[in-house]
Amino acid sequence: HGRELTVMTFNTKVGSADANTVVRMVRNKQVDVLALQELTPQLAERLRAGGLAQVLPYSLVDSRPGPFGGGLWSRLPLKRTYLETRPLLSQAPEASITGLGLRVRSVHASPPISAKRVYAWHTTLATLPGPPTGDGTLRVLAGDYNATLDHKALRSVIDRGYTDAADATGQGLVTTWPSDRNFALTLDHVLVDKRIRILRVQILHVPGSDHRAMIVRMRLP
């Protein structure tokens, strides 16, 4: 019987996603928290010009050139609780949402395409925290893990106390990358504290990106 919340995560493909579509999706789907990966300064400006701040007025914009930027937007005030900035890893902003007892992190693990990047990929997943304990705080990890549920490294994260939102609704095999091919993988995930109930998951195409957006409707305890 807790408050309902809608979280959207999306990898923008180095800022090439259509900003107007993102803003329209946020409006139409009544998104409360938006987590973006590969956020460039140019895309951040297009989102601002498209009116994103009118819908989600609070933000942590950690944009960078290339695939390393990240950002969070929210209907409610945000307070930064974490930012990862190690080499080869994307910006991973995390914020507490005022009044909800909830922390949301935008996750982007390095693609495991070389020995160095495999190490970075393992490091990102191995250091993701479990849900906070003791004070009742909840945590949501939303983003591009560059991992499927077949990867032990991702399952180890889930085993720390999370539920994979798509898997919980029977959509764990709905692919998210690349969005324009029949043979594709499920690399994007929203992991939620097991105390949170998943109500609905939508996986949608956004022009300009090779990833699909994931929108999760959830109910807080």
Side-chain angles (χ1 to χ4, degrees), residues 1-207:
H1 302 287
R3 176 169 179 165
E4 292 188 10
L5 187 77
T6 299
V7 174
M8 172 176 166
T9 184
F10 177 51
N11 182 317
T12 68
K13 193 185 178 183
V14 196
S16 63
D18 182 74
N20 290 329
T21 300
V22 173
V23 176
R24 184 168 59 251
M25 194 173 288
V26 167
R27 289 183 186 275
N28 293 344
K29 301 299 181 180
Q30 297 181 310
V31 172
D32 298 297
V33 180
L34 172 67
L36 295 183
Q37 300 85 49
E38 299 193 11
L39 177 67
T40 62
Q42 294 81 3
L43 177 58
E45 174 58 27
R46 296 200 306 273
L47 290 168
R48 186 201 63 77
L52 181 59
Q54 298 172 15
V55 192
L56 304 177
Y58 304 98
S59 62
L60 294 177
V61 179
D62 295 317
S63 61
R64 284 201 286 177
F68 301 106
L72 290 168
W73 285 258
S74 172
R75 291 186 187 272
L76 295 172
L78 299 172
K79 181 180 179 180
R80 186 187 297 278
T81 54
Y82 180 83
L83 176 63
E84 186 173 53
T85 58
R86 286 176 290 173
L88 290 180
L89 299 180
S90 298
Q91 301 282 58
E94 178 185 280
S96 60
I97 313 296
T98 301
L100 295 184
L102 178 72
R103 292 184 181 184
V104 179
R105 183 181 297 193
S106 179
V107 176
H108 189 199
S110 176
I113 56 176
S114 68
K116 182 180 279 189
R117 289 188 177 271
V118 166
Y119 175 78
W121 176 79
H122 271 293
T123 299
T124 299
L125 298 182
T127 56
L128 287 173
T133 59
D135 62 355
T137 301
L138 307 163
R139 181 177 266 127
V140 171
L141 306 177
D144 174 11
Y145 290 73
N146 273 301
T148 73
L149 292 173
D150 294 306
H151 285 105
K152 181 180 179 180
L154 177 58
R155 296 198 305 273
S156 294
V157 179
I158 296 171
D159 288 344
R160 288 168 206 156
Y162 293 104
T163 298
D164 182 284
D167 191 42
T169 57
Q171 300 178 79
L173 296 179
V174 177
T175 58
T176 64
W177 176 90
S179 59
D180 59 350
R181 299 181 194 173
N182 292 326
F183 178 77
L185 301 170
T186 307
L187 301 183
D188 303 87
H189 305 268
V190 175
L191 305 187
V192 306
D193 187 305
K194 283 185 176 295
R195 294 170 287 180
I196 297 173
R197 180 179 179 182
I198 304 301
L199 302 176
R200 182 173 64 254
V201 173
Q202 294 176 284
I203 300 170
L204 304 171
H205 174 71
V206 178

